[in-house]
Amino acid sequence: MSSLQRIMSIALMAGHLSACTSWRVETLSPAEVIRVHRPAKVRLEDIDGHREVLYGPEVQGDTVIGRRAVSDPAPNRALALSQIKQVATRHVSSGRTVGFVLGIGLIVAVVVHAAENPHLQFGNLGGY
């Protein structure tokens, strides 16, 4: 695999991980979302409007516990269910996915065209 192919693969994977998903507010209660869907992470909004992401969320009694960072070894955050206004989970966004694929396709086409036509000159791009 050439270095250009590696760079393109890394860019594709990195973009896919972030660009193609979005937060979706759930209609179920926070406890139901966590118990039924068992998401890897949730975005919680409290009654004051403060939002935070919890990784590995669990419901224990009347409390949601989880980790503040994915790398934290154990739960280190707890919120009372009564203080949570809404819960959101990550879902694939078809619009973002289509935009991402079209963008990558355009970049690949430009790179391939430039590689196949080395005689092309792009002028004074940097103003130097």
Side-chain angles (χ1 to χ4, degrees):
M1 179 181 279
S2 73
S3 61
L4 176 61
Q5 288 173 321
R6 271 190 227 114
I7 291 170
M8 295 294 281
S9 296
I10 290 168
L12 181 63
M13 287 186 293
H16 176 69
L17 292 174
S18 62
C20 299
T21 62
S22 62
W23 289 106
R24 182 172 66 198
V25 175
E26 300 291 343
T27 57
L28 298 173
S29 72
E32 289 176 302
V33 169
I34 293 167
R35 286 185 181 131
V36 173
H37 299 291
R38 310 223 14 101
K41 61 184 170 184
V42 292
R43 186 185 70 194
L44 303 174
E45 182 176 334
D46 66 22
I47 58 176
D48 295 327
H50 177 258
R51 291 180 178 171
E52 67 181 288
V53 175
L54 287 184
Y55 296 88
E58 296 178 22
V59 176
Q60 290 186 354
D62 63 351
T63 305
V64 174
I65 63 166
R67 300 182 320 271
R68 286 186 171 151
V70 71
S71 60
D72 291 340
N76 55 8
R77 180 71 169 118
L79 288 129
L81 285 168
S82 62
Q83 296 297 307
I84 299 172
K85 185 168 83 174
Q86 67 178 222
V87 61
T89 55
R90 297 293 275 181
H91 294 274
V92 174
S93 169
S94 57
R96 288 182 180 198
T97 302
V98 168
F100 177 74
V101 169
L102 291 175
I104 291 295
L106 179 63
I107 291 169
V108 168
V110 167
V111 169
V112 167
H113 181 72
E116 291 177 349
N117 298 289
H119 62 281
L120 290 178
Q121 294 186 1
F122 294 98
N124 193 0
L125 295 177
Y128 297 101

